[in-house]
Amino acid sequence: MSYTELCAEVVNGNESKVIELTKSLLEAGYDPLEIMNKGLIAGMDIVGPRFKNGEMFVPEVLLSARALHSGINIVKEALVGTDIPCIGKIVLGTVKSDLHDIGKNLVGMMMESAGFKVIDLGVDVPEETFIEAVKEHKPDILALSALLTTTMPNMKSVIDALKENGLRDKVKVIIGGAPVSQNFADEIGADGYAPEAASAAALCKQLIAE
Ligand code: B1M
């Protein structure tokens, strides 16, 4: 039982083995964050380049993603305390035409661990849905994820829609995802950018303290 074994089973897309190993590591007292980073996400770091190089294909990547999700859900229960007071509200989603949600889910989990209430709208979320959610939930922060260069412009469309609906000054907007950068955030008028999940939660804390 090790992080390497867990990592290998994520790559293999072996969901039942990932569940079993994740539970065993937790029961043995391993740190949940390390299980996530050195076991689960490390597996996806191997899958990424293999997918890119044509050594793995969509069905296999989906199996890995499903196995990863199951592992993450188990770690999440260990990480997210039920008695953490709510320090703010965040609406989170992956923008229109983008189906990637592994990173977004991790970001949501870190936000919850930091004490935020997170309303996750899922993937492929159109501008109108973000606008409706901002009107309904009145969040402190709207958090947008994108993994494709082709869907990055949809982040700007959400910010434009906020302006058109007179909501831009009512909510801070943060963005993230592999192709996104601080420069892009500045360019589209977002309030912040975070490169990964833990810093996204830290950024939200910083923004609500301003
Ligand atoms: Co896709 N895919 N994919 N894919 N996929 C990428 C992103 C790609 C880089 C692979 C490649 O070619 N090298 C490439 C994008 C190229 C580009 O645009 N530059 C790509 C492509 C092209 C595609 C398709 C078009 C492939 C096709 O069908 N021909 C297609 C598009 C579908 C669509 O969205 N419309 C597609 C489909 C898929 C799957 C469905 C098979 C699957 C997604 C499953 C799922 O998410 N449920 C998938 C996967 C798994 C990947 C890779 C392999 C892994 C992504 C991932 O989950 N990484 C990816 C290659 C790669 O990234 N190396 C790839 C692990 C995750 C923990 O990291 O998501 O980066 P990440 O999240 C990080 C940070 O980015 C950050 O924090 C997270 C944790 O630290 N972060 C935020 C994310 N959101 C944030 C928000 C924040 C702050 C930080 O604030 C709000």
Side-chain angles (χ1 to χ4, degrees), residues 86-166:
C86 174
I87 60 169
K89 214 189 280 179
I90 299 173
V91 165
L92 169 70
T94 302
V95 294
K96 189 165 70 185
S97 306
D98 198 321
L99 301 174
H100 295 85
D101 68 356
I102 298 170
K104 169 189 70 63
N105 293 344
L106 285 172
V107 168
M109 192 173 93
M110 294 309 288
M111 288 167 167
E112 284 179 355
S113 311
F116 287 97
K117 176 175 168 53
V118 177
I119 296 124
D120 188 343
L121 302 179
V123 296
D124 189 17
V125 181
E127 290 86 60
E128 313 83 67
T129 308
F130 281 116
I131 297 301
E132 284 315 309
V134 169
K135 285 181 182 164
E136 182 187 343
H137 301 288
K138 302 187 174 43
D140 303 284
I141 292 163
L142 178 60
L144 308 174
S145 179
L147 259 288
L148 299 170
T149 42
T150 49
T151 57
M152 285 166 63
N154 298 338
M155 295 176 143
K156 182 175 183 306
S157 306
V158 176
I159 294 180
D160 290 345
L162 285 172
K163 287 180 190 158
E164 284 157 21
N165 284 273

